Amino acid sequence: MSFLDVISCGFGAVILFYTIISAQSGLERIRETDDLTAEVKRLEEEVEQGTKNLVALRNTLERTESETASARSRARQLIEELRQPRDGARDEAETLARRERIEKLKADVKALEESTRRLEASAQQPMPRGEFAGTARARAEQRYITGLVIRGRRVLVLVDRSASMVSDDLVEIIRLRNTPEARRRAAQKWRRATEIVTWLLSQLPKTTLYQVYAYNTSAVPLSPETGGQWLDAGDEAQLDRMLRALDQLTPMDGTSLINALRAARQMSPRPDQIVLVTDGMPTQGATPPALRRFIDVDGRARLFDEAVRMMGRDIPVDVVLLPLRGDLPASHRYWMFARDTGGAFLMPSKDWP
């Protein structure tokens, strides 16, 4: 019995040992299978990524081939154009025409510069006595279709000498208003205004009495010693002095239309024709504002209406307007003013007079 017990225990131990070894072998195989599965998945992902890269490379290759073909086509086209014979006569004609235009522009610029130099020289050199009046009388021989006729027995010319009379453009006005007086007197728009006044005086019959007032914030006679007097248009010496004073006038400050028209009504005897040379609506009333401020379009319209109401309609007023750019209401209001008083309204071209 003891021998059988020993044999049974040994056999049981062998079986237990074998069972333990088999279990360990199974676990090892499971671990190896998991590792192999993971490796397979990694390889599959690499294959998939490689496939995507291959597709991208194929697309890039196709695009490159297309661009290469397009470049070759353009190169062949350029080579064909270069091989074609050029029309030398046409090119030469175009070059000559271009040169002619350039030479013409240079000649025009040179002529304008020469004309400017002559004008500046004539403005700086004093004209001998009597030549102003002689020039004015000579212009009386010129006939313009204007509708503006000197018909009064006593004619008053009111010329606006405010700062805006140096230019049609507001930015240019601001730039020029602080320049030296000689520069403002030489401004194109102001020279045109003085030419208009000179032309008006040249149209005066010798039997007419006249006076010229310049106004900005106030109105004063062009020749201070003749204030309140009517002058004989036949007096060539006096006309010469008047034109000299006009030539020395400098535009400056704001515009008070009511003061200009009030000065006209205070003359004794009153004028029976007024010619107003201006460029736009007034910027102040009878007195300057207490504080310097910007005035809008409506404010300028109110100042204009106040001046017109004060003036009345018993004296014909002819208006020569040199309009400011952007001052749209001015032309309509001055036209209404001239029409209501029985006068003429003129907005001349830039080459008049």
Side-chain angles (χ1 to χ4, degrees), residues 101-169:
R101 287 195 298 270
I102 292 173
E103 293 299 328
K104 185 177 183 300
L105 289 174
K106 288 181 179 179
D108 293 342
V109 170
K110 186 175 180 180
L112 289 173
E113 291 176 350
E114 183 66 26
S115 177
T116 302
R117 284 194 294 269
R118 286 199 300 269
L119 289 174
E120 290 176 351
S122 62
Q124 294 173 359
Q125 295 177 359
M127 186 178 291
R129 176 175 296 276
E131 288 191 15
F132 277 103
T135 302
R137 290 302 179 191
R139 290 182 181 176
E141 300 300 323
Q142 300 176 352
R143 293 293 179 259
Y144 298 95
I145 303 175
T146 63
L148 181 59
V149 181
I150 303 299
R151 59 191 179 279
R153 178 69 179 87
R154 295 178 299 277
V155 179
L156 173 63
V157 178
L158 293 174
V159 55
D160 185 351
R161 59 163 299 190
S162 62
S164 62
M165 290 294 286
V166 296
S167 177
D168 297 334
D169 182 70

Side-chain angles (χ1 to χ4, degrees), residues 231-245:
L231 307 176
D232 185 2
D235 187 347
E236 298 286 351
Q238 180 59 55
L239 181 61
D240 177 66
R241 288 192 293 271
M242 188 70 69
L243 294 176
R244 287 180 181 276

Side-chain angles (χ1 to χ4, degrees), residues 20-30:
I20 294 172
I21 292 175
S22 297
Q24 291 296 327
S25 299
L27 291 173
E28 187 66 26
R29 284 196 299 271
I30 291 173

